Amino acid sequence: MSTNDTHSGGSEEISREEAEELIDEIERRRSLQGLAALVVAVIGISFSLFQLALAARSFTFSISVPLVGAVNVSLQLLQANAIHVAFALVLTFLMFPATMGEGAFSRRLGRAADAVTDRLGRSNPLSRGVEGARGAVRWAFVDPNRSRVTPFDVACMAVAALSAFYFLTEFSEIQNMRVFGIDSGRPLTAVYPFLEPILGGVPFVSEYSYAMLLGVLGVLLVLEATRRTLGLPLMIIVGSFIVYARWGYLISTGTPFLGLLAIPELTWPDIVQNLWYNTENGVFGIPVTVSVSFIYIFILFGSFLEMSGAGQWFIDLAYAATGKRKGGPAKASILASGFMGTISGSSIANTVTTGAFTIPLMKRSGYSPEFSGAVESSASSGGQILPPVMGAAAFLMVQYTATPFREIIILATIPAIVFFFGVWVMVHLKAVQEGIGGIEDPDAATLGEHLTRGWFYLVPIVLLLYYLIGARLSVSRSAWFTLVALVALISFIAAYSDETRAFLFGATAVVFGAEVVSYVVAGVPITGLVGGTAGTGVGVAEAVSIVGPRIGWYAMLASVVTMLVYADVQSAILDLNPTVQDAAESAGSTAGRDLGDNQLFRVGTFVVKSMEEGARTAVPVVIAVAAAGIIPGVISVSGLGPNLTSLLLALSGGSIVVMLLVTAVASIILGMGMPTTVTYIILISMLATPLVEFGIPLLAAHLFILYFGVIADITPPVAVAAYAASGVAKSDPFETGVKAFSLSLNKAIVPFAFVLAPGIVLLRRKENAAELGIREQYRVVNVADLAELSYSVPEILIPVAGVFLGVIALGATVIGTLYTDVNRVERIAFALSSLLLMAPGLLSESAFDVLGLAGVTVSVNALLLDLTLRGVGLVLFAAFALKNRRESGPRPEQSPTETAA
């Protein structure tokens, strides 16, 4: 029995179904049934299979088609990107309604129809006509209960599929357009001659090519999908950039400041060609390429891990580790949210699924509903910055900075640990303040028992780290091998029991041995030997080296055979996600058979359901990167980039502090209600270069933008993760958001710390930096750098220690407690010490800016000043911490050293 079952005694805890319904309501997803749900599942599974084929075979692979045989597929990057986006568009129009009838247009149409009816009477022909028109519009567009697919959705899906079909069948024409322009393509009536009598005389149809028409419709579909999945504000932002690309030339170059935004005149064909038929920028640009190569496969990995039952196991593990400690449920929430962040790419989903268990426990232990929701949403939002998986934006960082993912993991680790440590400190201090202990449960499993039961869930994460850092494989290959290992492991565990273990290990050994023998005898796998394609044999050692890496596939095959032979086998330790069991029972009921207890069918359902859920999770991410790619596309095609950099540098007045503050505020404002991925793409397109121009390391600048994009998820007034948590906690949404932001304050200060002291993220200036371009002057530290104490102590060890001490001081400032209550003066002192310990450069640079305005120039040793200010902060913190300790009396159990417990 899971901890979730053991502790579900209170009525406050929401069910899994209620949690899923809450997520659907927040994200405005449809709850489809019957044929529509089946169509979503089939398309979603097809999407995942397509991406798995790309991960396994890159852009060249074979598909086995019934009655046809093997079909060889060879795709170009643009074609793969187009299919990827087309899948996401079709699923968007299935899963998200165009309107629920609550918008301004719908209300005005309804009022107009009512006014005509009131004035003329229901029997009047005009009234009946208006009423009929309203009914037709509602039938075609409106889905009030998020439960049906409308004709408009079907039309959008058809156009999206048609566009992908054009990329597949007419790619040679698209290639010619790169040379001769989009107008060189055939008109619509040439592609479909039967339309000549109907549309031949229509000006737009005869004037522009079919490619132009599909490009315009494609961009409009992306904007519509953006509105449905991510909201109207982002659609307006992206649409504004398209309008700017067309008419930005009207801005006068003589206008102060704004004149820098003037661009050359571009025609609609120029714009459409660059936004729709290009892999360098636009809809199918770098963001979608990263999604095709990296993001989707990691989302799929997370989905498989979640459906295997790992999500609940991680939650239970966190509770077993911390539940009995002071403020234990809140600490369990932090750990569980960090674990879940490894397998969930959504702050909202992470908040609701983890919070459904942790928030009621926090409330029962004594935390207020608002604080409980704040803890969960704050920790859940941190999943996007926690290695090894992180969020989609981390993979974009790999592409935009040309940095291996293993180095992104290295530089992101310390700030992520600092963030979770800071939230841990605050919930501990809150527990001290409120006298909140842990929750004793004699039936709960111990940490050791829990690890014994589910140790295998840690194996895929360890393997992923090995492939990325140890074996140094590419991101996509690492994810693919880890995914195969995960499925093999779950299949093996599902087939394993006391009754089957001898057969299972024997079957695995037989399959493995047969493959080795086949290579020794004929140099080919056993399938080739049976098929008559034998060649020259190899040595035993070489055969083992060939067959060994494929052990996962052989384990899968042996597991399937075992479950076929022992149809009633039940694993003693595997608990698949309840969603899998529900799907298996539902499928069995539809087929008229009791298949819910058949282990092989359950494992097959696990694989299929994981692929479907992975596609569902990926859809908003794919739409986000497709839409956001339009913005750097416009910046690139219009030549705006250098002018925008000049404008921002001019507006900052040469102050790095002003530039950082502008970036932070822009990230938070833009990120409110938007995915972190979108915020990151937009802001690195506009702000990364100006930050680097100030001498900030490229990777630190990108990580700075990412952190503030994540903060937006818990920043009022549009704190989407905090509002999701309030739905579970039944708390005041705005107050929950305010508390979540206060708990995450260290996430707002740490980015300033590491851009001004790059050693915190393990970046070091190269010895020949003066000879290099400004984007190439820093590198990730190595073991030799760490051994060089004259460098590592002042530039890494002391700043990192200062950041950790600083978050304790920040906790005392925010919560108002250390050993005992902290008064106003002590809060000010702790706040100042926190800033001095974490980001002294922020104060010193601000002081230099003020002196510069007065015409005073100061020249100091930057490192010596940094260490001095950190020393002042340490003295200030120690003095007031000792004072607070003396005021508290002898209460060692409330020592802040418990924060490390």
Side-chain angles (χ1 to χ4, degrees):
M1 181 182 292
S2 71
T3 309
N4 194 20
D5 299 324
T6 304
H7 302 283
S8 59
S11 60
E12 296 172 332
E13 190 165 331
I14 68 173
S15 67
R16 176 173 54 86
E17 292 76 12
E18 290 173 321
E20 292 174 356
E21 186 177 339
L22 179 60
I23 294 173
D24 287 345
E25 183 178 345
I26 292 172
E27 297 183 344
R28 293 176 59 86
R29 292 175 183 255
R30 285 186 172 118
S31 299
L32 297 174
Q33 303 294 328
L35 179 61
L38 179 62
V39 171
V40 170
V42 170
I43 296 175
I45 294 166
S46 301
F47 193 5
S48 292
L49 287 173
F50 171 71
Q51 290 298 140
L52 287 172
L54 292 183
R57 301 291 183 181
S58 189
F59 293 151
T60 302
F61 54 90
S62 297
I63 301 176
S64 181
V65 180
L67 304 179
V68 176
V71 177
N72 295 321
V73 178
S74 181
L75 297 175
Q76 299 296 318
L77 178 60
L78 180 58
Q79 291 174 308
N81 289 5
I83 295 171
H84 184 77
V85 172
F87 266 121
L89 288 173
V90 170
L91 286 172
T92 295
F93 299 129
L94 279 169
M95 293 166 51
F96 296 87
T99 176
M100 296 173 62
E102 300 169 345
F105 177 79
S106 298
R107 290 197 302 270
R108 288 174 182 172
L109 180 61
R111 284 198 295 265
D114 291 339
V116 171
T117 300
D118 292 341
R119 187 176 184 87
L120 302 178
R122 290 189 177 276
S123 60
N124 187 281
L126 181 58
S127 299
R128 291 200 300 270
V130 171
E131 193 64 35
R134 177 168 66 172
V137 169
R138 290 184 63 83
W139 173 78
F141 296 96
V142 180
D143 178 17
N145 301 316
R146 292 186 286 115
S147 59
R148 78 179 187 95
V149 179
T150 66
F152 177 61
D153 299 324
V154 175
C156 290
M157 287 186 283
V159 174
L162 192 64
S163 176
F165 183 75
Y166 178 72
F167 276 100
L168 286 175
T169 59
E170 303 294 342
F171 193 70
S172 59
E173 184 172 280
I174 295 172
Q175 289 178 310
N176 289 334
M177 287 190 296
R178 296 178 180 177
V179 178
F180 302 107
I182 197 171
D183 290 333
S184 65
R186 295 168 297 163
L188 174 64
T189 51
V191 179
Y192 303 107
F194 65 89
L195 294 176
E196 176 66 34
I198 305 171
L199 300 176
V202 178
F204 181 85
V205 172
S206 59
E207 182 180 353
Y208 294 105
S209 66
Y210 179 54
M212 175 69 179
L213 176 63
L214 284 181
V216 170
L217 291 176
V219 172
L220 292 176
L221 287 182
V222 170
L223 292 177
E224 168 63 8
T226 302
R227 183 187 67 83
R228 295 192 189 196
T229 57
L230 308 172
L232 183 62
L234 179 58
M235 190 203 80
I236 293 174
I237 291 172
V238 175
S240 298
F241 270 84
I242 297 175
V243 172
Y244 168 76
R246 179 65 183 87
W247 287 291
Y249 71 95
L250 297 176
I251 299 175
S252 173
T253 55
T255 306
F257 288 114
L258 287 180
L260 292 173
L261 300 179
I263 59 174
E265 182 176 0
L266 299 171
T267 64
W268 282 122
D270 294 332
I271 296 169
V272 171
Q273 182 168 348
N274 279 280
L275 295 185
W276 193 251
Y277 296 101
N278 198 336
T279 56
E280 297 298 322
N281 46 60
V283 171
F284 305 124
I286 290 176
V288 166
T289 300
V290 173
S291 181
V292 171
S293 304
F294 307 147
I295 296 174
Y296 194 101
I297 191 68
F298 270 91
I299 290 175
L300 203 54
F301 166 69
S303 178
F304 271 87
L305 204 55
E306 170 66 15
M307 290 297 109
S308 72
Q312 185 61 52
W313 183 81
F314 279 131
I315 294 173
D316 294 345
L317 177 67
Y319 181 81
T322 63
K324 297 180 181 179
R325 297 176 181 272
K326 182 181 292 296
K331 294 174 180 176
S333 171
I334 296 168
L335 287 181
S337 299
F339 289 141
M340 286 292 289
T342 301
I343 61 179
S344 172
S346 166
S347 295
I348 294 174
N350 195 356
T351 297
V352 174
T353 52
T354 311
F357 170 67
T358 59
I359 288 175
L361 285 179
M362 283 189 274
K363 291 168 65 177
R364 289 204 292 273
S365 68
Y367 290 104
S368 69
E370 285 73 20
F371 191 85
S372 301
V375 171
E376 180 56 51
S377 57
S378 180
S380 291
S381 69
Q384 297 182 75
I385 58 172
L386 181 66
V389 176
M390 304 177 68
F395 302 109
L396 290 166
M397 194 184 302
V398 169
Q399 194 75 8
Y400 278 114
T401 63
T403 303
F405 188 60
R406 60 181 175 272
E407 294 190 4
I408 301 293
I409 290 176
I410 292 171
L411 72 94
T413 297
I414 291 177
I417 294 173
V418 169
F419 166 67
F420 282 97
F421 175 74
V423 181
W424 183 286
V425 166
M426 291 196 190
V427 301
H428 175 79
L429 296 181
K430 189 67 175 180
V432 170
Q433 186 181 70
E434 303 288 342
I436 298 172
I439 292 182
E440 295 291 338
D441 190 336
D443 298 325
T446 65
L447 180 60
E449 292 170 342
H450 199 69
L451 284 170
T452 301
R453 182 178 177 82
W455 57 268
F456 53 89
Y457 288 123
L458 297 173
V459 172
I461 297 174
V462 174
L463 273 178
L464 178 63
L465 288 172
Y466 165 73
Y467 287 136
L468 286 170
I469 299 175
R472 293 177 175 265
L473 298 180
S474 67
V475 177
S476 58
R477 298 302 288 168
S478 298
W480 166 247
F481 288 141
T482 306
L483 189 55
V484 170
L486 172 60
V487 176
L489 182 63
I490 296 303
S491 302
F492 197 87
I493 296 294
Y496 180 88
S497 70
D498 291 340
E499 180 185 3
T500 64
R501 60 185 178 185
F503 184 91
L504 178 61
F505 282 110
T508 304
V510 167
V511 174
F512 185 86
E515 280 287 271
V516 171
V517 170
S518 179
Y519 271 97
V520 170
V521 171
V524 295
I526 196 167
T527 52
L529 184 62
V530 172
T533 58
T536 304
V538 300
V540 175
E542 184 178 351
V544 171
S545 68
I546 295 172
V547 174
R550 305 172 187 170
I551 186 66
W553 294 103
Y554 306 140
M556 264 190 265
L557 178 59
S559 301
V560 169
V561 172
T562 302
M563 287 184 281
L564 282 172
V565 174
Y566 296 87
D568 58 346
V569 63
Q570 294 293 324
S571 173
I573 57 177
L574 179 64
D575 284 322
L576 294 173
N577 189 293
T579 303
V580 175
Q581 183 66 32
D582 292 346
E585 292 176 354
S586 176
S589 176
T590 302
R593 300 177 60 187
D594 184 12
L595 298 173
D597 292 329
N598 184 286
Q599 191 74 323
L600 180 58
F601 187 77
R602 291 175 73 234
V603 172
T605 304
F606 151 70
V607 173
V608 171
K609 192 65 179 175
S610 297
M611 290 194 288
E612 179 193 348
E613 290 298 321
R616 287 174 175 268
T617 302
V619 164
V621 179
V622 177
I623 296 301
V625 296
I630 291 175
I631 293 175
V634 169
I635 292 175
S636 174
V637 72
S638 64
L640 175 64
N643 290 350
L644 187 60
T645 299
S646 300
L647 174 62
L648 291 169
L649 291 174
L651 291 174
S652 69
S655 169
I656 189 173
V657 175
V658 172
M659 191 68 233
L660 289 172
L661 289 174
V662 167
T663 304
V665 172
S667 299
I668 290 175
I669 292 175
L670 185 63
M672 289 182 181
M674 292 188 194
T676 305
T677 309
V678 174
T679 307
Y680 172 79
I681 293 171
I682 294 174
L683 289 177
I684 61 107
S685 302
M686 297 189 294
L687 298 175
T689 300
L691 288 175
V692 173
E693 291 286 341
F694 274 103
I696 294 173
L698 177 66
L699 289 170
H702 279 249
L703 199 62
F704 183 90
I705 291 171
L706 172 60
Y707 262 65
F708 279 99
V710 171
I711 290 173
D713 282 349
I714 42 88
T715 304
V718 192
V720 288
Y723 290 172
S726 74
V728 179
K730 298 178 175 61
S731 61
D732 177 78
F734 185 79
E735 184 64 23
T736 303
V738 170
K739 289 186 180 296
F741 180 76
S742 65
L743 289 174
S744 298
L745 267 180
N746 77 81
K747 200 192 296 180
I749 298 176
V750 167
F752 287 96
F754 63 64
V755 296
L756 296 172
I760 293 174
V761 287
L762 304 180
L763 290 176
R764 183 178 188 179
R765 187 176 173 85
K766 296 177 182 177
E767 294 180 357
N768 61 336
E771 304 169 7
L772 300 173
I774 196 167
R775 297 167 65 92
E776 303 170 356
Q777 295 181 351
Y778 286 82
R779 60 174 173 82
V780 176
V781 300
N782 53 38
V783 176
D785 295 319
L786 297 177
E788 187 183 333
L789 298 183
S790 61
Y791 162 75
S792 61
V793 171
E795 299 206 32
I796 297 178
L797 183 61
I798 291 177
V800 169
V803 169
F804 276 97
L805 285 175
V807 297
I808 298 176
L810 183 63
T813 305
V814 172
I815 303 300
T817 296
L818 189 59
Y819 297 96
T820 187
D821 291 344
V822 174
N823 60 38
R824 183 174 299 178
V825 173
E826 289 173 332
R827 278 195 173 194
I828 294 173
F830 280 125
L832 180 58
S833 68
S834 174
L835 196 56
L836 287 170
L837 284 165
M838 295 176 74
L842 193 60
L843 290 178
S844 60
E845 290 291 342
S846 299
F848 294 153
D849 289 341
V850 172
L851 291 174
L853 292 174
V856 178
T857 302
V858 180
S859 178
V860 296
N861 184 302
L863 180 59
L864 180 61
L865 177 62
D866 181 88
L867 295 175
T868 301
L869 291 177
R870 292 186 196 274
V872 172
L874 176 61
V875 171
L876 190 62
F877 171 71
F880 279 88
L882 289 172
K883 176 179 179 295
N884 187 263
R885 173 63 184 267
R886 288 195 298 268
E887 292 172 353
S888 71
R891 300 170 66 185
E893 74 278 8
Q894 294 185 0
S895 165
T897 57
E898 279 192 49
T899 58

